[in-house]
Amino acid sequence: METHRLQLAACTQEHIPVLMKWIQSETQCREWGGPFFRYPFDTQSFAEDCSWQKLPSFVLQDVTGKLLAFGQFYRRLDRCHLGRLIVAPEARGCGIGKSLIRLLAKRGCNALATDQCSLFVLKNNRPAQALYEKIGFQQSDYPEPFEGLQECHYMIAPAQHLLEMEI
């Protein structure tokens, strides 16, 4: 897949039904949405739990407009925190996750005027953790009490590293 021809676009209501189809089990829902995301979900609970209308939420599309990935960012501990990252099942293993992170980090760090990124990953989500480590995220101690933290790794990376990586 030609990852250099991908574009990041704002998430819209039309993207939500496609995104919902990517999550086929409670385990997948927890890995993506975290321990408090309701499952099974409906359109309303999904919109409420993922906060796509409240947080900067984006989709990654190919040149035909096909939805390939979704992610969000917001400020957390003075970093651009990336959240709810997901790649379409049929597009996994093609570099889409790396492209999503790079483009979200660029957009988020510019919008938030910060030079570091962070994210949470469930400890049992080894494929995602391996990707994050491969592109430069490192585990770090989270400095505050946070419900559900015992299930997660907190990871940080310098934005410059993410922005300069090859895609």
Side-chain angles (χ1 to χ4, degrees):
M1 181 167 295
E2 295 183 60
T3 56
H4 66 281
R5 298 187 66 193
L6 302 176
Q7 64 180 24
L8 199 61
C11 181
T12 66
Q13 181 69 45
E14 292 75 36
H15 298 123
I16 299 303
V18 176
L19 179 58
M20 290 172 63
K21 289 179 184 174
W22 294 351
I23 303 163
Q24 297 292 310
S25 70
E26 185 170 4
T27 298
Q28 289 175 343
C29 184
R30 299 289 174 259
E31 286 176 349
W32 173 71
F36 307 110
F37 205 100
R38 291 173 278 182
Y39 188 89
F41 46 72
D42 58 30
T43 304
Q44 182 177 343
S45 70
F46 189 91
E48 290 170 1
D49 290 352
C50 84
S51 301
W52 74 270
Q53 293 173 307
K54 295 178 184 173
L55 297 175
S57 301
F58 296 89
V59 295
L60 192 63
Q61 300 172 305
D62 67 13
V63 293
T64 69
K66 181 178 179 183
L67 188 61
L68 300 172
F70 172 91
Q72 300 172 311
F73 70 79
Y74 57 94
R75 180 178 296 280
R76 179 180 222 125
L77 301 175
D78 290 324
R79 292 185 176 100
C80 174
H81 188 80
L82 307 178
R84 299 213 174 86
L85 307 172
I86 190 169
V87 173
E90 69 275 8
R92 292 178 184 155
C94 300
I96 300 300
K98 187 176 176 181
S99 295
L100 174 67
I101 291 168
R102 182 178 184 274
L103 293 170
L104 265 181
K106 181 177 182 179
R107 174 88 49 110
C109 288
N110 285 337
L112 302 172
T114 186
D115 62 357
Q116 287 193 328
C117 292
S118 64
L119 53 79
F120 288 112
V121 61
L122 287 180
K123 291 177 179 177
N124 65 354
N125 189 348
R126 292 296 307 144
Q129 188 175 338
L131 169 64
Y132 304 148
E133 289 171 349
K134 181 178 179 181
I135 63 175
F137 280 90
Q138 296 180 351
Q139 290 183 32
S140 180
D141 291 330
Y142 193 74
E144 304 173 338
F146 185 74
E147 189 175 354
L149 189 59
Q150 67 280 3
E151 300 174 42
C152 301
H153 291 300
Y154 179 64
M155 302 182 83
I156 59 174
Q160 190 66 29
H161 178 75
L162 300 175
L163 300 179
E164 292 175 350
M165 70 180 162
E166 301 267 333
I167 56 172

